[in-house]
Structures are given as C-alpha cells and as structure tokens.
Amino acid sequence: MESQEIGKNAAVQKLRDWDNEAVAEVIEFRGETTVVVPQQHLVRAAKFLASEPSLRFTFLSDLTTVDRFPMEPRFEVNYHLLSIERVLRLRLRVRVTGPEPSVPTVTSVWPTANWHERESFDLFGIRFHGHPDLRRILMPDDWEGYPLRKDYPVEGFR
Amino acid sequence: MTTKTTLIETPAGPAKAMVLNMGPQHPSTHGVLRVVLELDGEIVLSARPEIGYLHTGIEKSCESKTYSQCITLTDRIDYLAPLSNNLGFCLAAEKLIGIEVPKRAQYIRVLLTELTRITSHLVWLGTHAIDLGAMTVFLYSFREREEIMKIYEYVSGQRMMTSYFRIGGLALEPPPDWLDRVRRVMDALPGHIDEYEDLLTQNRIWMARTKGVGCLSAEDAIAIGASGPLLRGSGVAYDVRKAFPYSSYDEFDFNVQTQTAGDCFARYQVRVAEIRESIKIVRQAMEKVTPDGPFRAEAPGIIPPSREEMKTSIEGLIYHFKIFTEGFAPPPGEVYQAIESPRGELGVFMASDGSAKPYRVKFRAPSFVNLQSLPKLCEGRLIADVVACIGTTDIVLGEVDR
C-alpha cells in the first residue's frame, strides 16, 4: 500500500517536472490521486503519461463525467488511467464550462476512449472535438436532451 | 442515420457491398446486440456494433436512491454475475465512507464471488458451445450451474438477484451447514470440467471453429481497453485481484491464467483454467471462513443494528429507523473501485456531495469496453466467425447498455 502511495506521488512529480502548467491542482482522497489538468494541456499530458517509460499509463480504464449543475465550471470529465506495467492508477480531471461543453478527444492516445467519449456525449452532451465518430451510443439517435445532466428529470420530460 | 457503403470490385465491375443487420433479435448475439455487417460474399468487410437496446438508465436511477437502495439495481447490470456487481458497489461505498469489513465477511464475499465466476464462465461455455453447434456441453454446464444457483438460494434466499452483499458486510448470517453444500459441489466440479474438456478441447470441429479465429494482439487489446479473459488470452497477465487486491485476495494462493495466441481458442482455455483456479480459491476460502464471528462491521448509523438490538435498545431503534428512512451521508469526494468480474475490470466510480444519495455513480462495465474489440476481431473473416467472436468476448447486454 505504502509503495503505491509513493508511486502515485512520483507520477504527479513527473508530470510537474515535465510541465508545471499541466498540473492545476492535486486532490488526494481515500488514497486516490486526482490531477486537475487545464483543458489546453490535456492531450499533451495524456501523451506524456502514456509514453513516459517510468510511468507507462497505456491503459485507460474509464472515462466519465460529473455534472455539478448549477456550479460553474459545470462539468468534470474524469480519466481513470492505469499502468499495467507499473501497477499504478491515476485520475486526470478536466473542468468544462456549460451549456455547450467541449473537450479535445484523447482517442489518439487511447483508442478505447472512442466509446467512452460517445457515452459522455450521449448522456451529458460533452462535445469531444476531433473525435472520429461522435454519435449517440446508448440513447436513440433522435433523442432530445442529455439524460444524465442534473437538470434532466429522473422520470424524463413529460 | 446514413451509412457509406463500401464499393467492391467484381468481375462485372464495381458493386455495392451487401449490408446485413445481425440482430438485435438474433440468438447468438446473447441478448439484444445489433451488428451492422458489410459483406463481400461471405467475407466481413466491416462490423459495427450498435448498442443501447437494453439501456435502463441505472446510473440515473442511482442518483435518486440512497446508497443501500442502489445495491438491488447493481444485480441487474450483469445478471450473470450479480454478486460481483454487489461487491464492486459495496467496496466503492465502503471506501467512500471509510469502513473496514470484518475478515470473516471478506472471506465469505471472496467465496461467493468466485462461485459467481464459475457460474458465469459455465453459462459462457454452454452458450458459446451451442453457438458453434455443440449442444451437449450446454446441457452439462447448466446442470452444474444449477447446483451453484441452489447454494445462492440457500445462502441469500435468491437464485439470481441476490443483493446479498451490503455496505459494511453481508445481508444476513449464512445458514449453518452451507459450507457442506459448497464442498459437495466443489468436489464434483473438477470431474465435470474434465468432461467438458473431453468434449471440446481435442474436438476437431471445435478447434476448426476457434483456433486462429478472432485474433487480438496484446497491443491492440490494451489500446482497445480490453480486460478480463479477453486481455489475458492475448498474453497480458493483468488481473485486478493480483494487481490491486481487494477483499483480502492477497491472502489467497492462485495463478493468473494467460495464453499467448490471442484467438478464440486461447480465450476458451483461459476461461476453463479460471474455473479451476476459482475452485482452488473457494477451497481456501472454506478453510478460512470460521463458523461464527461477525458478518458485518460495527458502524452505528451506517450499518443496521441486529434485530435483537433494534427490538431492545432505544439507540438501536433510532439507528434502524434513520438508516432505512434517510440513509447515511458519506463525506464529499470521489472514489474509483475496480474488481475483477468474470468479464474483466468492473470499476465503480462514485461521487458524493455529502448527502445521503450518491451524486453520481458510474459503472465501468467490462462488457461495454470489450465489445469495442469486435470490429478488430472479425473484419476480414467469414460471417460464421462473427458468431464465435461475439461468443468469446463474453458480453452481457445488460452490462453493455446499463
């Protein structure tokens, strides 16, 4: 457990050494590290974390969005990175302002992000610019609204 | 939706490729999966999975329920491995609250989730075999699955939607002689697995249908985010139980099963070997589970008091009432807890805003991610191989669509 903690902080340190501007904030909670990355540095930071030999975050476990309505910036996009070789996990977070949120895609770094980003687009309306195939994935193509947003009622619009 | 049709060269000049909808009502898509295939004769030019037919909005529903109420929804995500989902959700909630579960409850959890892995792999083996034309294995594997379902029923009162794991421990004390039943099933199971292997492993039709079919390289598997047997069949020894042990898995002795071929046959071998490993873990867990001891943690206000306490003490009554009417409020923050479900890495991301209901729950469903590999597996191959490829990705549509 302890060695993992050190390893995680090393990842944050590596990121800082590489470009201090890519780390806007570091959040520690329950032994998990979250690095808040400014939007313009996201893809660069992702490429660095995936290719840096001592980190090798080559696996994107998950990509998900949280809607903090009515706060601004409204959306948080979370990237759960995993390094199989170094047995590390790290969460990147990008804060996005609504109501037409837009984030650069990370499909060029992790192709698995394709469907994850489609899901976030489908359910939260986040536009991932540069995405090869940004269509709805779970909801019907002609659906109106974004169901997982907090201003969308649980039982739907009637 | 408009689709571009590929043009193919024929002796009579260029022609449009045939577009075929496989599913959503097709017996070998294991639920309501629709795959749009572009065909040149029998060769698959492109395969595009279209999902969402079973979307039930579980993540949205969770936001309007208390933490404990959400557990019943998790059963319905992956209905072939309900206990794995219960475990993933409970571990995430426990991490968020910061409570430790007693060792005895952890061992019982390990035992039951490994039984879940066995039943899930048995269903996979049976249905995959029936897809490829081997009826007998289906009947055999469902016979064994039934015995384990009876154990679920005996322990939790439910065959499928168990909801047996609760935040902080288990729903109730298992019946006194349940381990004898588990032992009987575990003693018989290795022989039955030998039977399946006799029917399949050396079977020429089986080998022709699976060997060299649906190849996935280790790099592609990692890039696509594949996990579970799909990743291990491609030679990557990543198992959440070993890499990030939870629920005392570090105290158990087992091996991560891998194969390097990356084809359907390799994935079949990995799953069969995993059933045998699971039996090993269940046997170790049976040794570790003591006949008596606590089955849930002591945390007033979060874990319901015992029935006795609720009836006899005023604090117990108040806590009982408050837990079941208001729930409990974990501190604000976010956690991500991954477990190794039979299909791969099941991750639960949970965000709390300090209220009694989760602010956001996200299930990182392994089937959803693994299904992304389908185009890679079957493009350029025969249409009959699509069935084998869908089969060995082992998807559960309830989990894909959530």
Side-chain angles (χ1 to χ4, degrees):
Chain A
M1 201 61 194
E2 213 163 61
S3 65
Q4 272 184 27
E5 292 299 308
I6 295 162
K8 261 180 198 165
N9 293 336
V12 178
Q13 199 52 51
K14 280 257 158 55
L15 201 60
R16 277 221 164 99
D17 293 345
W18 169 71
D19 187 351
N20 202 27
E21 285 184 8
V23 183
E25 194 186 340
V26 178
I27 304 162
E28 289 280 346
F29 182 71
R30 302 284 186 229
E32 294 181 8
T33 312
T34 310
V35 180
V36 182
V37 181
Q39 217 191 98
Q40 66 271 23
H41 294 296
L42 171 69
V43 180
R44 284 176 64 228
K47 277 196 181 121
F48 169 75
L49 289 167
S51 57
E52 164 66 31
S54 63
L55 300 172
R56 302 279 293 142
F57 283 106
T58 51
F59 194 99
L60 179 70
S61 278
D62 188 27
L63 188 162
T64 186
T65 308
V66 180
D67 181 7
R68 298 283 178 190
F69 182 77
M71 261 163 58
E72 279 294 343
R74 181 171 167 182
F75 296 100
E76 291 171 354
V77 185
N78 295 295
Y79 301 78
H80 293 103
L81 317 188
L82 164 70
S83 170
I84 294 177
E85 287 162 48
R86 305 274 176 264
V87 198
L88 291 173
R89 279 190 196 282
L90 184 70
R91 182 185 300 130
L92 296 186
R93 177 174 297 166
V94 177
R95 297 209 169 106
V96 200
T97 46
E100 292 277 312
S102 168
V103 188
T105 177
V106 291
T107 43
S108 57
V109 187
W110 300 291
T112 179
N114 188 331
W115 279 23
H116 288 302
E117 289 182 348
R118 278 179 68 189
E119 190 185 304
S120 268
F121 164 70
D122 189 358
L123 304 177
F124 286 96
I126 312 262
R127 277 143 186 90
F128 291 90
H129 53 84
H131 189 284
D133 182 27
L134 200 63
R135 288 181 290 128
R136 285 195 180 268
I137 185 164
L138 295 175
M139 305 303 285
D141 289 328
D142 55 353
W143 194 265
E144 281 175 25
Y146 302 104
L148 273 183
R149 285 191 178 186
K150 286 285 175 185
D151 51 0
Y152 191 99
V154 181
E155 65 277 16
F157 291 110
R158 294 204 173 151
Chain B
M1 182 181 39
T2 53
T3 38
K4 264 200 317 229
T5 326
T6 315
L7 287 179
I8 47 173
E9 288 300 321
T10 64
K16 275 187 183 171
M18 182 179 161
V19 178
L20 183 76
N21 271 308
M22 191 166 167
Q25 288 90 13
H26 189 284
S28 72
T29 55
H30 297 253
V32 280
L33 168 69
R34 172 169 157 237
V35 187
V36 183
L37 299 171
E38 271 193 325
L39 301 174
D40 174 8
E42 275 207 68
I43 309 284
V44 177
L45 297 175
S46 78
R48 208 182 58 221
E50 293 287 336
I51 60 174
Y53 293 91
L54 218 56
H55 181 58
T56 44
I58 285 175
E59 289 170 6
K60 183 79 175 175
S61 305
C62 283
E63 291 172 10
S64 61
K65 296 191 183 321
T66 64
Y67 285 87
S68 308
Q69 286 171 340
C70 292
I71 295 173
T72 50
L73 289 176
T74 63
D75 289 316
R76 280 127 183 109
I77 295 173
D78 176 354
Y79 41 78
L80 294 180
L83 284 161
S84 296
N85 301 331
N86 292 168
L87 183 63
F89 186 86
C90 291
L91 284 174
E94 283 153 11
K95 198 172 184 182
L96 196 59
I97 305 162
I99 45 173
E100 184 79 14
V101 177
K103 279 282 177 196
R104 179 167 178 260
Q106 292 190 16
Y107 298 143
I108 296 175
R109 284 178 171 189
V110 168
L111 198 160
L112 288 168
T113 36
E114 289 306 319
L115 287 181
T116 308
R117 192 181 316 280
I118 296 171
T119 50
S120 173
H121 282 354
L122 284 175
V123 173
W124 167 78
L125 184 67
T127 51
H128 184 46
I130 211 168
D131 286 345
L132 300 185
M135 181 90 188
T136 321
V137 182
F138 174 78
L139 298 172
Y140 280 3
S141 65
F142 269 65
R143 179 186 66 189
E144 272 72 77
R145 174 177 183 258
E146 191 54 37
E147 294 305 311
I148 299 179
M149 298 305 260
K150 282 181 190 156
I151 295 174
Y152 288 173
E153 190 179 2
Y154 192 56
V155 173
S156 70
Q158 284 281 341
R159 281 163 51 85
M160 277 186 85
M161 303 303 162
T162 49
S163 296
Y164 183 60
F165 300 159
R166 299 289 163 87
I167 295 162
L170 310 170
L172 35 98
E173 175 73 32
D177 62 336
W178 73 292
L179 284 177
D180 299 331
R181 295 197 179 201
V182 177
R183 190 167 291 115
R184 270 204 298 280
V185 176
M186 287 304 114
D187 286 345
L189 199 55
H192 291 309
I193 296 164
D194 292 340
E195 281 175 9
Y196 313 144
E197 287 223 74
D198 283 346
L199 282 165
L200 294 175
T201 308
Q202 298 292 323
N203 183 325
R204 288 188 62 176
I205 302 171
W206 182 258
M207 291 202 289
R209 291 297 304 275
T210 57
K211 273 198 173 170
V213 174
C215 289
L216 190 67
S217 70
E219 293 75 40
D220 285 346
I222 289 175
I224 221 94
S227 54
L230 189 62
L231 183 64
R232 291 192 284 273
S234 298
V236 182
Y238 172 64
D239 187 319
V240 186
R241 292 174 292 174
K242 280 276 187 208
F244 303 96
Y246 52 89
S247 207
S248 299
Y249 264 109
D250 45 344
E251 295 171 24
F252 291 85
D253 172 35
F254 65 99
N255 299 317
V256 178
Q257 297 297 328
T258 54
Q259 290 288 332
T260 48
D263 57 2
C264 290
F265 191 73
R267 296 192 274 277
Y268 154 74
Q269 285 177 304
V270 167
R271 290 205 177 90
V272 172
E274 275 183 12
I275 299 179
R276 294 189 196 273
E277 288 298 317
S278 290
I279 297 172
K280 236 167 81 181
I281 300 174
V282 171
R283 284 189 196 283
Q284 291 169 42
M286 281 194 294
E287 297 297 316
K288 286 177 191 279
V289 175
T290 49
D292 43 29
F295 65 93
R296 55 185 169 198
E298 287 280 334
I302 293 168
I303 292 148
S306 69
R307 189 113 193 116
E308 172 74 26
E309 209 180 319
M310 187 263 281
K311 292 281 187 193
T312 53
S313 87
I314 184 73
E315 290 86 5
L317 184 65
I318 292 169
Y319 281 136
H320 179 90
F321 183 74
K322 281 187 85 95
I323 290 167
F324 287 103
T325 52
E326 295 174 358
F328 47 82
E334 295 89 12
V335 291
Y336 177 82
Q337 174 69 46
I339 66 156
E340 186 72 24
S341 99
R343 269 154 274 285
E345 178 174 322
L346 172 76
V348 181
F349 171 79
M350 205 180 270
S352 159
D353 62 345
S355 71
K357 292 169 182 172
Y359 191 75
R360 164 97 170 104
V361 183
K362 152 91 192 201
F363 294 95
R364 188 262 186 208
S367 299
F368 175 79
V369 188
N370 288 355
L371 184 59
Q372 267 197 87
S373 66
L374 191 67
K376 200 136 238 161
L377 294 180
C378 52
E379 277 170 13
R381 300 204 60 91
L382 295 176
I383 188 167
D385 293 340
V386 176
V387 174
C389 293
I390 295 173
T392 49
T393 49
D394 190 17
I395 46 166
V396 167
L397 267 298
E399 193 182 53
V400 172
D401 295 340
R402 284 155 289 140

